[in-house]
Amino acid sequence: MTLPRWPLAAALAIGLALPLGNTQAATIRLGGIVPGTVINKDVQSIRERRYENLVEQRTDFSCGAASLATLLKYAYQRPDTTEHDVLAGMLEVADLELVQQQGFSLLDLKNYVETLGLRGRGYEVDAETLDDVSIPVIVLLDLNGYKHFVVMKKASADRVYIGDPALGNRVMSRDEFMAAWNNIIFAVVGDGFDRYTALLDPRQPLTAHRMKDVFSPVSREQMIDFGFRHAELF
């Protein structure tokens, strides 16, 4: 499959310098709520929740690498995968001259995942069938003229759940997403996919509409639709 070559731009679209700090969760001890008892409660920082189940990009050109690392780490049960690993791997299979001129492309992502024994598949999806994308995929968004790779976790009703390696987990309105999207999805398929991946169960907005979204694992039939082989489903 021949895929178009698009430049990467991550923090360029928002003009932010990405911090390198790593804020950890903590446990708070609460006493005096019920006489004679102490309650331990695990809490997350705002930043930690923002990047929950998401690999944060560390450079202004690595949104594609961070998005792919997110899929490998959280959907393919490869917990040690880092953005650096993916960048190094893509540099080995990419045309360095083109990368210097235009950045990494979906073709580079495709060639890299094949070195891992997986397959990359590009699909054109109509707006009317966006909700039928039942596995987490990588999409290219045009954000004010800057091309930016993100993970699309799922679409439901008027919302699209995004894992943005520059901005963190967020929810876009369907209209906003459709205006920025080019109707292409990039799926990684192969052995080891977690049908119960947390990427398909993003945190819901605190509104009554959240009750419409019910988590369910990817069915075997849906996986076959995206190019999985029967031998990879068991």
Side-chain angles (χ1 to χ4, degrees), residues 210-229:
R210 65 184 295 183
M211 301 304 295
K212 295 181 180 179
D213 293 339
V214 178
F215 171 72
S216 60
V218 185
S219 70
R220 290 184 171 87
E221 291 77 13
Q222 291 170 319
M223 292 175 66
I224 290 175
D225 287 341
F226 281 94
F228 286 87
R229 298 167 180 160

Side-chain angles (χ1 to χ4, degrees), residues 97-112:
E97 183 176 347
L98 281 175
V99 170
Q100 290 175 346
Q101 295 174 356
Q102 304 176 11
F104 289 108
S105 71
L106 287 182
L107 181 59
D108 297 325
L109 271 64
K110 177 181 184 293
N111 290 337
Y112 171 65

Side-chain angles (χ1 to χ4, degrees), residues 161-195:
Y161 296 89
I162 298 298
D164 186 324
L167 296 175
N169 293 302
R170 59 194 183 102
V171 182
M172 299 179 69
S173 71
R174 183 178 290 262
D175 289 343
E176 179 189 10
F177 178 83
M178 295 305 303
W181 181 45
N182 63 359
N183 291 88
I184 300 294
I185 64 172
F186 178 77
V188 178
V189 300
D191 190 46
F193 178 76
D194 180 8
R195 295 171 53 217

